[in-house]
Amino acid sequence: MQPETPAVRELISTEKNYQSAEVWTKVTGKAIYGIDLRLPGMLYGKILRSSHPHARIKKIKTSAALKMPGVRTVLTGSDLSCSPYGIVINDEMPLEPEHVRYVGDEVAAVAAVDDKKAEEALKLIHVEYETLPAVFDTGEAQLPEAPQLHENFPGNVAWRREVVRGDPESAFRNADLVVEGKFHIPQFHPAYLEPVACVAVSEPDGGITLHTAVQSPDIVRDLLAQVLKLPLSRVRIVGPVMGGGFGGKVYGNLNLYLISALLSMQTGLPVKMQLTREEEFTAGRPMVAAEIKMRMALGNDGTFLGREMDLITDNGAYSAQAPWVSNTLAERNDSVYRIPAIKTKARLVYTNKVPTGQYRAYGNQVANFACESLIDMAAKKLKIDPLEMRLRNCVRPGETTVHGLQIKSCGLAECLAAATEEIGWTKRKKGHGYGLSAAIHASGSVVFDPNLRGASARISLELDGNISLFTGEQDYGQGTHAAFSQIAAIALDLEPSRISVYSKDSLVTPYSMGALGMRQATIGGKAVQLAAEKLREKIIRTSSEMIGEPVIMENGRIRSASGRQVDFTEIAHYYHGQTSGLTLTGEGSYVPPESSYDDTKYGNIAVTYSFAAHAAEVEIDPETGALTVHRIVAAHDSGRIINHLSASGQIYGGVAQGFGMSCLEGYLFNEGRVANPTLADYKIPTALDVPDITPLFIETDDPEGPYGAKGLGEIVQVPVPGALANAVADAAGGWVTEMPITAEKIFRILSNRGAAK
Amino acid sequence: MDIGKITFLLNDEPVTIYADPAESLLHLLRDQLGCMSPKEGCGRGECGACTVILDGKAVNSCLVPAGKAAGKNIRTIEGISDGKSVHPLQRAFVEKGAVQCGFCTSGMIMSAYALLAENPAPRQEEVKRAISGNLCRCSGYKQIEEAIMTAAEEMNENRVRFVEKEQKE
């Protein structure tokens, strides 16, 4: 249990809606985003991309482009001295020197005095290709006669994983019921509203400053230094405001960053680059597509005995984070319930399509579509209420899951009860369909980088008595920085508005993993708490030295037993004078408890875990299959909620995204070419589409997170696909097993059942 | 391209620029006039981040040729408050948590501004329709709709107060 001090009580009451000052720059149009950046003398860069899904580059002629007035340089793959790089697998080059593997692959780049000239110059570059047979289907790609995309990956398998826990064979042998299904999930784009943009500035010392808004600036910095062969200290990332990320900007767009850096180093001038919306869709990094075959073994009473999954994920032409996403997709759902036996076979397969990466929740949300559908299929066969079946099997506090996750605080059962109660599970409207789904998501991964499991923060008392907080954790609207101000405010007993948060310059902010794995509130917030507590100690010590008596700090005031009072400004000036200019600074580092994590990836992967249950209410038109989603109730255990306004915003937004991917979105391809690369054809929800969403918070008190808080930003999306699939099945009498759930697919189910009018 | 002289009002102040009349109003505002609040999210009129008000109507400035702006009054978010106080929409967006990444916010507020000028007491359905051309990927729209309804109420109360004050005088 966390101490229930007056400050903590205040945190969860009066300051629950605190918003940081940055929000005012956004409502007045003054916030500067990546696309707004302009530096004196700046050039504009553009990329020539492959128009073939698979080809060899025989020759590139750049002389005409170079001669064009206004063009400053042209770069091709053969000009590069770097080696292939990657986040997990080194299979990618900023510009491909001889072999292109998808429509959109980077072939050449131009820097010119304005973007129109750069665009025109691209047309003057002549590329001679020798087209190669291409493969678009993951099944065909694994056949011996299939074209090989990369030399060292026979059968085009980029990554594979097989895992067995418990005794799945006997689980299935002894089962009273086995249900199975096959599920198809396309690529989804995070569709953040601001396309990735950057300005690279080559510095006189040979280094690079990259201005870009990215979720994990320090990891991008490491990669840039590695690929460009620069000393790490000569690479600096400075962040403008970010126009949305949702996991899609953990690494921003690495090729874009590298190309702009190379163009800047070549010309000695700043080079701005930004993707068009079409490039975002065709050459960004959407989330992996998946084919899931799954079987589940149950006892007659609805007890889960075992689960088998055969997963094939579509990597596209290069790997980005797809291996890690595939791993989460394959496993995370196994820990929602007590499932004693698991058998998983997963393969990630190269195809000549857009490379894939991640999107909010790392694939956990699309696996939810399959896992939760299967549970309801079993419930229907066993004639058990889907709520009862979930309550019977769901994970509880203190348990260790089948993959070794150690569950501390856990309000999953309460989430299930609250979501169903609120939606009217037992008071159903006639003709409406109801569906339920549950989720777990790791909050604060400790295995992402075994050498850096936690986070650190630095917090200083300024001469004016205000506080500056330096963190590497990124806020692009989730409310992280407001929450950090609140956390520090508790430790220092002052108003959050007196604490300014700085996070956007790698030169001065502490190294961090950044915004991924729901680690910021839990791990980053804990570091802030520890740093603020250190500063508090230092303030007390310095005050007592200053007035020569012991002091106490209470309600933002420092006083001695004899009644002498000092304020923060006086202490800051005193210390400043004593040290000739230093500021009182607290450094906090949170190193999570050691966890065992073996070669089979069994072990406790995160500081803690967040939980959620969503209930959906839908209606379908029996004549057309048209779907109306009336309502989604989203019950969440994210520990103590530090900021209710921001937390509710995460739920509204994340559920809306989950609804979008479940019902509207998804990539379409034509011979490997993205067929819907616009926001008109790749439909994301508008205000008219989003159903009524009700957030509910089950506030557990987590022993690890700051003041009991856990992460929320990713799990908000996870239960949506399963809840909607089950609600549709309740109304239609059968499951749509292919995302998105469209009227056409529902109509097919109605027709097959003979229920369509 | 033919460069022509284009004169219009930007937030009630006359501006004259020389530009290709076929160039988009969005690029003209951002690249020539340094008015950066309209954002480019797609360049095809599909996202609404570039929404400005042209003679009272909310438009996607990326689809408006600069020539069409001649003689018109263009209003952007820079021109909805006097710089000292904030507009009720701006305050409500902050207080209701309607802003996350903020990239859609300028355009969203301009669509709301145009709506409230025409329909001071909109129903929620009308609010939804008015902002249906403005995509927001962060918020799920709920807190945006609340903010617009709240601002409408505040503006109506102010109007009532103003009328009452005038009647007294």
mmCIF file of all heavy atoms in Angstrom, chain B residues 36-69:
data_model
loop_
_atom_site.group_PDB
_atom_site.id
_atom_site.type_symbol
_atom_site.label_atom_id
_atom_site.label_comp_id
_atom_site.label_asym_id
_atom_site.label_seq_id
_atom_site.Cartn_x
_atom_site.Cartn_y
_atom_site.Cartn_z
ATOM 1 N N MET B 36 0.809 30.114 -39.284
ATOM 2 C CA MET B 36 1.099 28.684 -39.230
ATOM 3 C C MET B 36 0.003 27.835 -38.567
ATOM 4 O O MET B 36 0.149 26.633 -38.457
ATOM 5 C CB MET B 36 2.414 28.442 -38.483
ATOM 6 C CG MET B 36 3.607 29.193 -39.054
ATOM 7 S SD MET B 36 3.920 28.744 -40.771
ATOM 8 C CE MET B 36 5.034 27.386 -40.541
ATOM 9 N N SER B 37 -1.080 28.461 -38.100
ATOM 10 C CA SER B 37 -2.074 27.659 -37.376
ATOM 11 C C SER B 37 -2.832 26.684 -38.269
ATOM 12 O O SER B 37 -3.143 25.588 -37.826
ATOM 13 C CB SER B 37 -3.048 28.573 -36.619
ATOM 14 O OG SER B 37 -3.850 29.295 -37.527
ATOM 15 N N PRO B 38 -3.131 27.012 -39.529
ATOM 16 C CA PRO B 38 -3.741 25.965 -40.361
ATOM 17 C C PRO B 38 -2.678 24.921 -40.685
ATOM 18 O O PRO B 38 -1.580 25.271 -41.113
ATOM 19 C CB PRO B 38 -4.188 26.709 -41.634
ATOM 20 C CG PRO B 38 -3.993 28.158 -41.361
ATOM 21 C CD PRO B 38 -2.984 28.281 -40.274
ATOM 22 N N LYS B 39 -2.982 23.653 -40.447
ATOM 23 C CA LYS B 39 -1.987 22.587 -40.611
ATOM 24 C C LYS B 39 -2.283 21.767 -41.853
ATOM 25 O O LYS B 39 -3.437 21.625 -42.240
ATOM 26 C CB LYS B 39 -2.011 21.648 -39.390
ATOM 27 C CG LYS B 39 -1.750 22.343 -38.058
ATOM 28 C CD LYS B 39 -0.381 22.972 -37.988
ATOM 29 C CE LYS B 39 -0.153 23.626 -36.644
ATOM 30 N NZ LYS B 39 0.913 24.633 -36.707
ATOM 31 N N GLU B 40 -1.237 21.201 -42.431
ATOM 32 C CA GLU B 40 -1.437 20.322 -43.575
ATOM 33 C C GLU B 40 -1.313 18.873 -43.125
ATOM 34 O O GLU B 40 -0.238 18.417 -42.780
ATOM 35 C CB GLU B 40 -0.413 20.625 -44.681
ATOM 36 C CG GLU B 40 -0.622 19.744 -45.895
ATOM 37 C CD GLU B 40 0.097 20.218 -47.145
ATOM 38 O OE1 GLU B 40 0.845 21.212 -47.065
ATOM 39 O OE2 GLU B 40 -0.096 19.584 -48.195
ATOM 40 N N GLY B 41 -2.457 18.170 -43.111
ATOM 41 C CA GLY B 41 -2.428 16.756 -42.709
ATOM 42 C C GLY B 41 -2.559 15.830 -43.901
ATOM 43 O O GLY B 41 -2.254 14.652 -43.815
ATOM 44 N N CYS B 42 -3.072 16.362 -45.024
ATOM 45 C CA CYS B 42 -3.258 15.490 -46.195
ATOM 46 C C CYS B 42 -3.106 16.235 -47.506
ATOM 47 O O CYS B 42 -2.733 15.649 -48.503
ATOM 48 C CB CYS B 42 -4.622 14.796 -46.134
ATOM 49 S SG CYS B 42 -6.025 15.911 -46.367
ATOM 50 N N GLY B 43 -3.436 17.546 -47.534
ATOM 51 C CA GLY B 43 -3.319 18.311 -48.768
ATOM 52 C C GLY B 43 -4.413 17.999 -49.779
ATOM 53 O O GLY B 43 -4.332 18.424 -50.929
ATOM 54 N N ARG B 44 -5.441 17.258 -49.368
ATOM 55 C CA ARG B 44 -6.493 16.860 -50.310
ATOM 56 C C ARG B 44 -7.901 17.111 -49.775
ATOM 57 O O ARG B 44 -8.867 16.535 -50.268
ATOM 58 C CB ARG B 44 -6.369 15.370 -50.637
ATOM 59 C CG ARG B 44 -5.025 14.971 -51.201
ATOM 60 C CD ARG B 44 -4.843 13.462 -51.115
ATOM 61 N NE ARG B 44 -5.989 12.768 -51.669
ATOM 62 C CZ ARG B 44 -5.960 12.060 -52.797
ATOM 63 N NH1 ARG B 44 -4.848 11.947 -53.475
ATOM 64 N NH2 ARG B 44 -7.041 11.444 -53.227
ATOM 65 N N GLY B 45 -7.999 17.912 -48.730
ATOM 66 C CA GLY B 45 -9.330 18.212 -48.207
ATOM 67 C C GLY B 45 -9.978 17.059 -47.467
ATOM 68 O O GLY B 45 -11.197 17.012 -47.324
ATOM 69 N N GLU B 46 -9.166 16.127 -46.974
ATOM 70 C CA GLU B 46 -9.739 14.948 -46.326
ATOM 71 C C GLU B 46 -9.634 14.968 -44.799
ATOM 72 O O GLU B 46 -10.291 14.180 -44.126
ATOM 73 C CB GLU B 46 -9.047 13.684 -46.868
ATOM 74 C CG GLU B 46 -9.379 13.410 -48.313
ATOM 75 C CD GLU B 46 -8.418 12.466 -49.001
ATOM 76 O OE1 GLU B 46 -7.500 11.933 -48.330
ATOM 77 O OE2 GLU B 46 -8.575 12.267 -50.210
ATOM 78 N N CYS B 47 -8.790 15.863 -44.256
ATOM 79 C CA CYS B 47 -8.570 15.803 -42.805
ATOM 80 C C CYS B 47 -9.069 17.035 -42.048
ATOM 81 O O CYS B 47 -9.329 16.963 -40.856
ATOM 82 C CB CYS B 47 -7.107 15.540 -42.482
ATOM 83 S SG CYS B 47 -6.034 16.981 -42.670
ATOM 84 N N GLY B 48 -9.176 18.171 -42.706
ATOM 85 C CA GLY B 48 -9.735 19.367 -42.053
ATOM 86 C C GLY B 48 -8.777 20.134 -41.167
ATOM 87 O O GLY B 48 -9.160 21.142 -40.579
ATOM 88 N N ALA B 49 -7.510 19.702 -41.068
ATOM 89 C CA ALA B 49 -6.568 20.393 -40.176
ATOM 90 C C ALA B 49 -6.242 21.799 -40.664
ATOM 91 O O ALA B 49 -5.737 22.625 -39.910
ATOM 92 C CB ALA B 49 -5.282 19.576 -40.029
ATOM 93 N N CYS B 50 -6.547 22.075 -41.925
ATOM 94 C CA CYS B 50 -6.222 23.387 -42.508
ATOM 95 C C CYS B 50 -7.440 24.310 -42.537
ATOM 96 O O CYS B 50 -7.418 25.326 -43.225
ATOM 97 C CB CYS B 50 -5.674 23.199 -43.915
ATOM 98 S SG CYS B 50 -6.904 22.537 -45.061
ATOM 99 N N THR B 51 -8.506 23.953 -41.805
ATOM 100 C CA THR B 51 -9.754 24.728 -41.866
ATOM 101 C C THR B 51 -9.550 26.186 -41.452
ATOM 102 O O THR B 51 -8.978 26.469 -40.397
ATOM 103 C CB THR B 51 -10.824 24.084 -40.954
ATOM 104 O OG1 THR B 51 -11.008 22.728 -41.351
ATOM 105 C CG2 THR B 51 -12.153 24.843 -41.055
ATOM 106 N N VAL B 52 -10.010 27.098 -42.311
ATOM 107 C CA VAL B 52 -10.064 28.524 -41.971
ATOM 108 C C VAL B 52 -11.470 28.995 -42.325
ATOM 109 O O VAL B 52 -12.249 28.247 -42.932
ATOM 110 C CB VAL B 52 -9.011 29.361 -42.741
ATOM 111 C CG1 VAL B 52 -7.611 28.879 -42.458
ATOM 112 C CG2 VAL B 52 -9.296 29.349 -44.247
ATOM 113 N N ILE B 53 -11.785 30.237 -41.949
ATOM 114 C CA ILE B 53 -13.112 30.750 -42.289
ATOM 115 C C ILE B 53 -12.982 31.770 -43.399
ATOM 116 O O ILE B 53 -12.200 32.719 -43.303
ATOM 117 C CB ILE B 53 -13.798 31.321 -41.035
ATOM 118 C CG1 ILE B 53 -14.044 30.160 -40.070
ATOM 119 C CG2 ILE B 53 -15.113 32.012 -41.400
ATOM 120 C CD1 ILE B 53 -14.647 30.539 -38.773
ATOM 121 N N LEU B 54 -13.709 31.523 -44.480
ATOM 122 C CA LEU B 54 -13.672 32.410 -45.640
ATOM 123 C C LEU B 54 -15.067 33.025 -45.758
ATOM 124 O O LEU B 54 -16.031 32.291 -46.005
ATOM 125 C CB LEU B 54 -13.290 31.597 -46.872
ATOM 126 C CG LEU B 54 -13.044 32.350 -48.176
ATOM 127 C CD1 LEU B 54 -11.872 31.721 -48.927
ATOM 128 C CD2 LEU B 54 -14.276 32.326 -49.051
ATOM 129 N N ASP B 55 -15.157 34.324 -45.523
ATOM 130 C CA ASP B 55 -16.450 35.028 -45.525
ATOM 131 C C ASP B 55 -17.519 34.242 -44.765
ATOM 132 O O ASP B 55 -18.613 33.984 -45.279
ATOM 133 C CB ASP B 55 -16.895 35.306 -46.973
ATOM 134 C CG ASP B 55 -16.251 36.580 -47.507
ATOM 135 O OD1 ASP B 55 -15.476 37.218 -46.758
ATOM 136 O OD2 ASP B 55 -16.516 36.929 -48.664
ATOM 137 N N GLY B 56 -17.164 33.833 -43.552
ATOM 138 C CA GLY B 56 -18.149 33.205 -42.669
ATOM 139 C C GLY B 56 -18.292 31.703 -42.813
ATOM 140 O O GLY B 56 -18.932 31.060 -42.001
ATOM 141 N N LYS B 57 -17.705 31.135 -43.855
ATOM 142 C CA LYS B 57 -17.845 29.686 -44.061
ATOM 143 C C LYS B 57 -16.535 28.964 -43.752
ATOM 144 O O LYS B 57 -15.468 29.418 -44.160
ATOM 145 C CB LYS B 57 -18.196 29.403 -45.537
ATOM 146 C CG LYS B 57 -19.632 29.709 -45.918
ATOM 147 C CD LYS B 57 -20.327 28.429 -46.376
ATOM 148 C CE LYS B 57 -21.839 28.463 -46.418
ATOM 149 N NZ LYS B 57 -22.555 29.504 -45.712
ATOM 150 N N ALA B 58 -16.642 27.843 -43.043
ATOM 151 C CA ALA B 58 -15.445 27.037 -42.773
ATOM 152 C C ALA B 58 -15.061 26.304 -44.052
ATOM 153 O O ALA B 58 -15.893 25.630 -44.658
ATOM 154 C CB ALA B 58 -15.730 26.050 -41.653
ATOM 155 N N VAL B 59 -13.796 26.457 -44.472
ATOM 156 C CA VAL B 59 -13.328 25.788 -45.702
ATOM 157 C C VAL B 59 -11.982 25.107 -45.444
ATOM 158 O O VAL B 59 -11.237 25.498 -44.548
ATOM 159 C CB VAL B 59 -13.152 26.791 -46.872
ATOM 160 C CG1 VAL B 59 -14.483 27.408 -47.275
ATOM 161 C CG2 VAL B 59 -12.140 27.890 -46.506
ATOM 162 N N ASN B 60 -11.705 24.082 -46.258
ATOM 163 C CA ASN B 60 -10.374 23.479 -46.244
ATOM 164 C C ASN B 60 -9.462 24.375 -47.061
ATOM 165 O O ASN B 60 -9.579 24.434 -48.284
ATOM 166 C CB ASN B 60 -10.419 22.085 -46.881
ATOM 167 C CG ASN B 60 -11.067 21.069 -45.964
ATOM 168 O OD1 ASN B 60 -10.770 21.016 -44.779
ATOM 169 N ND2 ASN B 60 -11.956 20.263 -46.515
ATOM 170 N N SER B 61 -8.548 25.068 -46.410
ATOM 171 C CA SER B 61 -7.747 26.048 -47.149
ATOM 172 C C SER B 61 -6.814 25.384 -48.152
ATOM 173 O O SER B 61 -6.341 26.025 -49.079
ATOM 174 C CB SER B 61 -6.968 26.945 -46.189
ATOM 175 O OG SER B 61 -6.056 26.198 -45.426
ATOM 176 N N CYS B 62 -6.572 24.095 -48.018
ATOM 177 C CA CYS B 62 -5.707 23.406 -48.981
ATOM 178 C C CYS B 62 -6.406 23.255 -50.326
ATOM 179 O O CYS B 62 -5.757 23.016 -51.331
ATOM 180 C CB CYS B 62 -5.239 22.052 -48.453
ATOM 181 S SG CYS B 62 -6.507 20.779 -48.403
ATOM 182 N N LEU B 63 -7.741 23.373 -50.335
ATOM 183 C CA LEU B 63 -8.488 23.198 -51.589
ATOM 184 C C LEU B 63 -8.896 24.527 -52.215
ATOM 185 O O LEU B 63 -9.454 24.552 -53.299
ATOM 186 C CB LEU B 63 -9.757 22.364 -51.337
ATOM 187 C CG LEU B 63 -9.578 20.910 -50.923
ATOM 188 C CD1 LEU B 63 -10.924 20.225 -50.765
ATOM 189 C CD2 LEU B 63 -8.718 20.150 -51.926
ATOM 190 N N VAL B 64 -8.636 25.631 -51.504
ATOM 191 C CA VAL B 64 -9.048 26.943 -52.013
ATOM 192 C C VAL B 64 -7.888 27.560 -52.791
ATOM 193 O O VAL B 64 -6.820 27.785 -52.225
ATOM 194 C CB VAL B 64 -9.455 27.876 -50.844
ATOM 195 C CG1 VAL B 64 -9.809 29.264 -51.367
ATOM 196 C CG2 VAL B 64 -10.619 27.281 -50.065
ATOM 197 N N PRO B 65 -8.073 27.833 -54.096
ATOM 198 C CA PRO B 65 -6.996 28.513 -54.821
ATOM 199 C C PRO B 65 -6.842 29.941 -54.292
ATOM 200 O O PRO B 65 -7.843 30.589 -53.971
ATOM 201 C CB PRO B 65 -7.496 28.531 -56.273
ATOM 202 C CG PRO B 65 -8.742 27.713 -56.307
ATOM 203 C CD PRO B 65 -9.257 27.586 -54.923
ATOM 204 N N ALA B 66 -5.605 30.394 -54.196
ATOM 205 C CA ALA B 66 -5.332 31.702 -53.592
ATOM 206 C C ALA B 66 -6.156 32.800 -54.258
ATOM 207 O O ALA B 66 -6.629 33.730 -53.593
ATOM 208 C CB ALA B 66 -3.841 32.011 -53.698
ATOM 209 N N GLY B 67 -6.345 32.675 -55.584
ATOM 210 C CA GLY B 67 -7.102 33.688 -56.317
ATOM 211 C C GLY B 67 -8.498 33.885 -55.743
ATOM 212 O O GLY B 67 -9.044 34.988 -55.771
ATOM 213 N N LYS B 68 -9.087 32.822 -55.221
ATOM 214 C CA LYS B 68 -10.445 32.889 -54.659
ATOM 215 C C LYS B 68 -10.511 33.702 -53.372
ATOM 216 O O LYS B 68 -11.604 34.052 -52.910
ATOM 217 C CB LYS B 68 -10.961 31.468 -54.366
ATOM 218 C CG LYS B 68 -11.250 30.670 -55.596
ATOM 219 C CD LYS B 68 -12.748 30.632 -55.885
ATOM 220 C CE LYS B 68 -12.959 29.811 -57.138
ATOM 221 N NZ LYS B 68 -14.246 29.904 -57.728
ATOM 222 N N ALA B 69 -9.344 33.918 -52.776
ATOM 223 C CA ALA B 69 -9.327 34.674 -51.516
ATOM 224 C C ALA B 69 -9.437 36.178 -51.771
ATOM 225 O O ALA B 69 -9.744 36.941 -50.861
ATOM 226 C CB ALA B 69 -8.062 34.363 -50.729
#
